[in-house]
Amino acid sequence: MSSTAQAIHHEEHRQSFFERWFMSTNHKDIGTLYLLFSFLMLFVGGGFAMLIRAELFEPGLQLMQPYFFNELTSMHGLVMIFGVIMPAFVGLANWMIPLQIGAPDMALPRLNNLSFWILPFAFALLLSTFFMPGGAPAAGWTMYPPLVLEGGSSIAFMIFAIHLMGISSILGSINIIATILNLRAPGLDLLKMPMFCWSWLITSFLVIAVMPVLAGAVTMMLFDRFFGTNFFNAAGGGDPVMYQHVFWFFGHPEVYIMILPAFGIISEVVPTFSRKPLFGYKAMVYATASIAFLSFIVWSHHMFTVGLPLGAEVFFMYSTMLIAVPTGVKVFNWVTTMWRGSLSFEVPMLWAIAFIVLFTIGGFSGVMMALVPADFQYNQTYFIVAHFHYVLVGGALFGIIAGVYYWLPKWSGHMYSNFWSKLHFWSSVISVNVLFFPQHFLGLAGMPRRMPDYNVAFADWNMVSSIGGFWFGATQLIFVGVVIHCVFFSKQKATARVWDHAYGLEWTLPSPPPHHSFTLPPVIDDSQLAHGDTSH
Amino acid sequence: MSQPDANVYYVPHKSRWPIIATIGMFLFMLGAANWLNGHDIAGQVILAVGALTIIGMMFGWFGNVIRESMKGNFNSQVDTSFRMGMTWFIFSEVFFFAAFFGGLFYVRTFVVPWLGGVGDKGVLTNDYIWQGFSAAWPTNGPEAIGGAFTATGPWGIPLINTLLLLSSSITLTIAHHALRAGDRKRLIGFLGLTILLGATFLGLQVHEYWDSYVHLNMTLHSGIYGATFYILTGFHGLHVTLGTIMLIVMWLRCARGHFDREHHFAFEAVAWYWHFVDVIWLCLFLFVYIL
Ligand SMILES: [Cu+2]
């Protein structure tokens, strides 16, 4: 062992609690912090969702004033997107990318610590708005002016929180790009890299291209509210629709920021439990890159009903439908990887299969909404709510959970309970459909979204959906139990490889891996890699 | 300086600066938000504490990295990581400006003509809501918000400023060549000249703003023209200010002999940033002032 590695080794034993968690330069500790933060926020955002479903359990106003309901829907969206899905993916990237590419850590470890610690402060700013005069932001997570500018004290706090979250995710993504491009072990070519690294590399470029645009959009809003500009005021020559354009130029790539890393996770899990290499690895890489590119030229499909010129409607309709092609390539390749594989259904594989099915359902309803004339019916109804919850819960969240169950034994060094994790799965996969599938029917029948009260004609399916919601929410408490048991109480030690057909550098290290993953660049043995010119 | 082994991975020591940085940013934003909501004194105090924390953090964090660099801790791989970090940071800055340029193009291509009656949307907006408004640029909209104003032409101060920034990019490149040639005197001279050019640019821009506000009645409130003008030139000016401060730090470090012919990443990073600010200005000059 070199002297550098020894020095690092000593430091590991001397650190206090504060040093370890607040001054960290360790990708695993920072990854753990990200994952814990996102887990906590899942229950904050989930709590808002429970309140929303409780109010919608029956028609009429039972529990809250309509304005508070609007605060809940808006904050539910902001918390789930910026506080749960994105930090969870960055946490997984922190943990896994250095392990998968044979690096000691992230390329810029101190910046990594800064990226994480911005988040709790950003959410302190955002969540504190609930206790302010005028309450939390209530114009939806998309924050459209002029409605959002009618809010009280919350606007400035919301805008600055968004700025902080943007800084955090931009710095995090710069770090991921530098890590993947600069710290790969010699011989680990880009086209031998695990799909999870590929999908995060591409996602990082999306993040650094669109988060600044969101910052620009909310900055214009800040100026309109406090400094008397007229960006979004037609009387001064501006246009509220301009905000929507700038926002969705961020917003559509953002939905791929929230799904591409999940694609990467699924592309790791499916080959392992199919005992076959990933089908069409290069096609997967190119499909991911195509999705990322196309995501920049489809944004106005969120605005079909605001009064776009006909040419724009047609262009954005076709460009949106085009995305179905590379996305179809991905689904096809996962299914083909399973085809004639010797499948086994361990817990991560169950989540991955549920991901493929549920994400495809959400993808199909997405294609339906890409059709301009059809979108005029679906727009602002529960149909869109059903659609994006299928891709964000059944897609992004299920992908994250698949990743956690896939790598948790590697992180903790222990196996989790088979019974409870399977119960978590089956309970989740049934309840999530009870929760969201009826919302398709409600939307097609014309129930508007973001409404605390509704016509009695919608009562039955809303009650079903609410029951599914409480059931799904309660089920996630099992997840907490499984994770705590695995980390602190499980007696069953995990082997280095954990799963018998898991390939890739992360499985060559012991479970749990050493404090600094690789102190020397590992020698690459192609037969131990998951992808590229492999021989197994 | 001995070169550390590039075959052994380098991981930096723990640092208290990131957590101090985030506390500083939090206080800064908390103070700003309180100030905007009318809690003037509390807001200003919190904002000032946050700003001082951030400034102190910069001295501490950068000072720390400089000392590590001078000790020769960083191998070539670390150097490449720093370079990639700066490159992609500038890339994200480009997209920040792209949001405002995109807004400007959208307003000029679509919004103002529609308000003036062009196309289907014009039939609705112009005929029913703002009859009689005819599209023009510059404009402060159908209700002439902010009152009559005159826009600054491109051929006075903005042209001089363009020439100043362009020549500052040249003097900076000369300084960079001098650094690589090991010519300290020339380096310090031309870097100093670059700083002077940047500072002159800022001085002239302040004068231009003052002139616009006092004599031309062209303010932030002057409809969409004032809004796009000040947000674009203002954020650019902020970047020039930061760039100038960074150049001054580089000048001090050059004077202390921190850099040698091969190792001067910080200098190059600042130079990239300065050229980026320069390119943004050329876009501004073309799209905000001339067209
Ligand atoms: Cu979209």
Side-chain angles (χ1 to χ4, degrees):
Chain A
M1 202 189 262
S2 74
S3 60
T4 320
Q6 271 165 357
I8 288 165
H9 193 68
H10 283 295
E11 188 183 333
E12 177 185 346
H13 291 286
R14 280 193 274 107
Q15 57 191 353
S16 66
F17 178 85
F18 185 82
E19 281 176 339
R20 174 162 184 196
W21 296 108
F22 290 85
M23 292 165 57
S24 181
T25 50
N26 184 285
H27 73 101
K28 300 191 193 74
D29 287 347
I30 296 171
T32 304
L33 287 171
Y34 265 112
L35 289 171
L36 287 176
F37 176 76
S38 130
F39 213 10
L40 177 69
M41 284 296 136
L42 178 67
F43 287 94
V44 173
F48 298 160
M50 294 300 104
L51 289 172
I52 291 167
R53 283 315 325 169
E55 176 56 52
L56 293 174
F57 191 74
E58 285 176 338
L61 294 175
Q62 284 85 31
L63 300 173
M64 58 191 76
Q65 293 301 308
Y67 194 84
F68 183 67
F69 183 89
N70 293 344
E71 293 175 32
L72 287 177
T73 52
S74 310
M75 294 292 273
H76 167 75
L78 289 168
V79 168
M80 288 302 196
I81 289 166
F82 295 105
V84 179
I85 303 292
M86 290 174 75
F89 281 140
V90 182
L92 291 170
N94 259 294
W95 253 102
M96 297 321 299
I97 288 174
L99 295 181
Q100 290 189 324
I101 63 171
D105 209 290
M106 299 295 279
L108 303 159
R110 289 175 186 154
L111 202 64
N112 200 15
N113 196 28
L114 175 62
S115 310
F116 170 74
W117 277 106
I118 290 173
L119 281 180
F121 290 101
F123 277 87
L125 280 183
L126 185 65
L127 292 171
S128 69
T129 56
F130 269 113
F131 309 102
M132 284 172 192
W141 82 274
T142 51
M143 305 170 284
Y144 279 2
L147 182 60
V148 73
L149 298 176
E150 307 288 313
S153 305
S154 65
I155 297 165
F157 289 86
M158 173 190 77
I159 290 170
F160 290 138
I162 299 258
H163 280 141
L164 285 177
M165 294 166 202
I167 294 169
S168 162
S169 47
I170 289 167
L171 296 180
S173 291
I174 288 173
N175 215 337
I176 288 168
I177 293 173
T179 307
I180 292 178
L181 294 184
N182 191 34
L183 261 59
R184 289 193 323 283
L188 187 69
D189 306 338
L190 280 175
L191 280 175
K192 288 181 183 172
M193 218 165 52
M195 270 315 291
F196 180 66
C197 297
W198 258 114
S199 58
W200 242 118
L201 179 63
I202 292 166
T203 304
S204 301
F205 285 109
L206 291 182
V207 170
I208 60 174
V210 303
M211 290 307 287
V213 175
L214 174 65
V218 295
T219 302
M220 287 190 257
M221 195 148 79
L222 184 81
F223 273 73
D224 266 16
R225 174 74 157 80
F226 294 104
F227 303 110
T229 56
N230 291 277
F231 286 108
F232 308 131
N233 176 12
D239 188 352
V241 175
M242 178 169 93
Y243 172 84
Q244 300 183 19
H245 279 294
V246 180
F247 180 85
W248 287 112
F249 184 84
F250 144 81
H252 191 82
E254 171 70 15
V255 308
Y256 290 101
I257 290 167
M258 292 191 286
I259 201 67
L260 292 184
F263 286 176
I265 294 165
I266 300 308
S267 306
E268 305 283 316
V269 172
V270 168
T272 296
F273 299 100
S274 304
R275 292 170 180 75
K276 274 173 67 190
L278 183 67
F279 180 87
Y281 167 74
K282 277 188 189 164
M284 289 298 239
V285 172
Y286 295 137
T288 310
S290 317
I291 293 173
F293 170 75
L294 288 173
S295 74
F296 285 104
I297 53 164
V298 299
W299 74 86
S300 293
H301 61 212
H302 297 269
M303 305 160 56
F304 280 151
T305 58
V306 295
L308 295 178
L310 183 64
E313 306 245 317
V314 172
F315 172 81
F316 286 107
M317 171 168 81
Y318 283 121
S319 62
T320 302
M321 287 196 282
L322 205 55
I323 293 197
V325 176
T327 313
V329 168
K330 301 201 76 91
V331 173
F332 178 83
N333 285 6
W334 291 320
V335 174
T336 320
T337 304
M338 287 188 267
W339 178 254
R340 294 194 162 176
S342 39
L343 299 184
S344 61
F345 298 96
E346 281 91 339
V347 177
M349 184 63 164
L350 292 174
W351 287 94
I353 292 171
F355 170 96
I356 296 170
V357 174
L358 298 179
F359 176 77
T360 305
I361 294 174
F364 278 139
S365 56
V367 176
M368 290 169 74
M369 275 178 294
L371 294 157
V372 172
D375 184 71
F376 272 67
Q377 181 193 351
Y378 309 145
N379 188 67
Q380 291 295 328
T381 69
Y382 258 82
F383 193 80
I384 177 75
V385 177
H387 158 72
F388 65 65
H389 282 95
Y390 263 86
V391 290
L392 283 174
V393 181
L397 184 64
F398 273 38
I400 290 165
I401 297 176
V404 169
Y405 278 127
Y406 187 53
W407 286 309
L408 186 59
K410 169 59 62 185
W411 302 336
S412 69
H414 292 92
M415 297 304 291
Y416 44 80
S417 157
N418 198 38
F419 172 79
W420 288 101
S421 54
K422 283 201 168 157
L423 182 69
H424 174 213
F425 170 74
W426 285 109
S427 185
S428 292
V429 80
I430 297 168
S431 60
V432 84
N433 285 292
V434 177
L435 164 56
F436 293 121
F437 210 82
Q439 296 183 0
H440 290 113
F441 312 144
L442 290 169
L444 290 177
M447 177 170 162
R449 66 189 285 208
R450 293 169 172 162
M451 289 285 177
D453 188 9
Y454 49 83
N455 190 306
V456 286
F458 305 127
D460 294 352
W461 284 124
N462 265 300
M463 194 177 281
V464 171
S465 178
S466 287
I467 290 168
F470 304 141
W471 178 7
F472 183 78
T475 300
Q476 301 321 306
L477 298 173
I478 302 176
F479 191 26
V480 181
V482 171
V483 172
I484 290 176
H485 169 263
C486 176
V487 174
F488 295 109
F489 302 106
S490 174
K491 299 263 183 314
Q492 198 189 343
K493 289 254 185 277
T495 60
R497 186 160 306 276
V498 182
W499 315 106
D500 63 357
H501 196 272
Y503 285 93
L505 286 175
E506 74 258 45
W507 310 109
T508 63
L509 289 175
S511 307
H515 190 65
H516 283 278
S517 310
F518 295 90
T519 45
L520 292 169
V523 178
I524 300 298
D525 170 4
D526 276 2
S527 70
Q528 290 303 309
L529 297 181
H531 304 298
D533 303 317
T534 52
S535 48
H536 50 268
Chain B
M1 263 186 266
S2 68
Q3 262 300 293
D5 188 353
N7 294 317
V8 178
Y9 283 138
Y10 172 78
V11 177
H13 289 285
K14 293 186 178 302
S15 170
R16 68 186 112 104
W17 298 112
I19 193 84
I20 293 174
T22 181
I23 291 170
M25 283 153 75
F26 171 70
L27 292 176
F28 186 88
M29 302 249 173
L30 182 69
N34 272 298
W35 190 2
L36 289 174
N37 282 327
H39 307 293
D40 289 1
I41 307 290
Q44 286 159 4
V45 170
I46 299 172
L47 183 134
V49 173
L52 289 173
T53 312
I54 292 171
I55 293 168
M57 175 278 295
M58 294 220 162
F59 275 100
W61 192 339
F62 288 119
N64 194 4
V65 175
I66 290 166
R67 277 191 298 280
E68 285 169 352
S69 169
M70 304 284 285
K71 272 193 267 170
N73 285 2
F74 300 152
N75 59 29
S76 58
Q77 191 173 42
V78 177
D79 190 61
T80 309
S81 291
F82 285 166
R83 280 163 199 278
M84 285 182 174
M86 191 66 191
T87 310
W88 296 113
F89 171 69
I90 292 175
F91 177 87
S92 74
E93 287 265 53
V94 169
F95 277 84
F96 182 67
F97 279 98
F100 302 125
F101 275 111
L104 176 69
F105 298 154
Y106 181 74
V107 164
R108 292 194 56 179
T109 320
F110 297 111
V111 177
V112 175
W114 285 342
L115 288 172
V118 169
D120 297 343
K121 294 186 82 171
V123 174
L124 291 170
T125 47
N126 188 275
D127 290 3
Y128 289 99
I129 308 173
W130 279 297
Q131 220 171 20
F133 174 69
S134 62
W137 190 263
T139 181
N140 50 2
E143 288 187 4
I145 290 180
F149 70 97
T150 320
T152 31
W155 307 120
I157 290 179
L159 178 66
I160 299 171
N161 268 347
T162 308
L163 298 173
L164 285 175
L165 273 196
L166 280 179
S167 36
S168 77
S169 259
I170 296 169
T171 55
L172 186 59
T173 307
I174 296 173
H176 191 190
H177 282 286
L179 174 56
R180 277 203 291 226
D183 187 346
R184 168 96 67 96
K185 243 182 169 171
R186 200 174 155 82
L187 162 66
I188 290 175
F190 273 92
L191 189 52
L193 190 58
T194 313
I195 295 167
L196 274 181
L197 290 167
T200 316
F201 172 94
L202 286 171
L204 285 177
Q205 196 178 27
V206 169
H207 179 79
E208 186 198 341
Y209 274 20
W210 177 79
D211 198 44
S212 298
Y213 258 80
V214 175
H215 297 125
L216 306 175
N217 190 33
M218 210 278 278
T219 69
L220 262 179
H221 314 286
S222 302
I224 191 65
Y225 184 82
T228 50
F229 176 88
Y230 282 107
I231 205 140
L232 276 160
T233 57
F235 272 112
H236 176 265
L238 195 67
H239 281 71
V240 177
T241 311
L242 288 175
T244 309
I245 294 170
M246 282 151 67
L247 285 172
I248 292 171
V249 174
M250 288 308 119
W251 190 86
L252 292 170
R253 290 190 64 192
C254 287
R256 289 193 185 178
H258 279 194
F259 301 124
D260 63 31
R261 289 170 188 216
E262 278 84 38
H263 302 105
H264 49 262
F265 160 70
F267 183 95
E268 286 184 24
V270 173
W272 297 341
Y273 191 81
W274 193 255
H275 293 316
F276 148 72
V277 168
D278 204 5
V279 171
I280 295 288
W281 174 261
L282 288 180
C283 296
L284 278 177
F285 187 55
L286 182 63
F287 294 118
V288 175
Y289 288 102
I290 296 182
L291 294 177

